Amino acid sequence: TYFVGEFNCSCVGITQQLHLCPLVAEAAIQISSGSSQSTGSGKANGSIVILQCVGGSDKGADGHRRDTIPIANALIEKGWAVTAMFYNDADHDKVKEELMRCDGVIVRVNPGTYEGVTQSKLDQMLRDVAASGVACMSHPDVMIKMG
């Protein structure tokens, strides 16, 4: 398994290799520790939001992507706070407010595949969050370039 310049872990098969979740957590902490919101370089007490959308064929029985909880648990084991949130256009302002307070956001959203989600609105929110200094993994412009 290889990490590429994109952080959407299921694209590189992390759901089939959940033993790698601690490495994903380490990478997320390292990236988030460089954010302007960060509490410090890799130390405890940072916070990461794992952002998802409701629905899609990539979810388990609990409604989360199959690797979301293992990634969250790996982050928690490293002393970071984690919130798993679901985005939809109706909750845009509430979600954006929460994202602006964290050190990093792991975006677990397949582009353009969810009812109640306008991809351009989600992308602009993530751009705004990233521009404020929050580490955005993956940035929507990276996702667009990757196709």
Side-chain angles (χ1 to χ4, degrees):
T1 297
Y2 298 92
F3 285 102
V4 294
E6 192 271 328
F7 209 90
N8 192 342
C9 305
S10 67
C11 290
V12 293
I14 197 77
T15 56
Q16 300 303 313
Q17 300 178 39
L18 294 177
H19 66 282
L20 296 175
C21 287
L23 294 176
V24 173
E26 287 175 21
I29 289 169
Q30 183 176 13
I31 292 166
S32 297
S33 292
S35 80
S36 67
Q37 310 290 337
S38 179
T39 57
S41 181
K43 68 181 188 179
N45 301 323
S47 67
I48 291 180
V49 171
I50 301 176
L51 188 64
Q52 309 171 93
C53 292
V54 173
S57 61
D58 57 348
K59 305 297 187 309
D62 63 0
H64 294 285
R65 289 180 75 134
R66 290 171 187 91
D67 52 2
T68 294
I69 301 304
I71 291 170
N73 287 337
L75 286 161
I76 291 166
E77 287 174 12
K78 295 179 182 303
W80 279 57
V82 180
T83 303
M85 294 189 75
F86 290 93
Y87 174 85
N88 62 56
D89 291 346
D91 293 330
H92 173 276
D93 293 344
K94 177 180 146 191
V95 171
K96 184 175 181 179
E97 182 179 313
E98 185 70 27
L99 296 182
M100 295 296 249
R101 290 193 298 255
C102 69
D103 296 299
V105 55
I106 300 174
V107 183
R108 309 294 292 127
V109 177
N110 290 332
T113 60
Y114 302 96
E115 189 174 320
V117 176
T118 305
Q119 189 67 46
S120 60
K121 188 171 184 173
L122 171 60
D123 289 349
Q124 188 56 53
M125 178 190 71
L126 293 170
R127 284 185 191 98
D128 294 344
V129 167
S132 79
V134 174
C136 189
M137 305 164 275
S138 284
H139 192 285
D141 294 340
V142 171
M143 294 294 292
I144 290 167
K145 287 178 185 174
M146 291 187 70

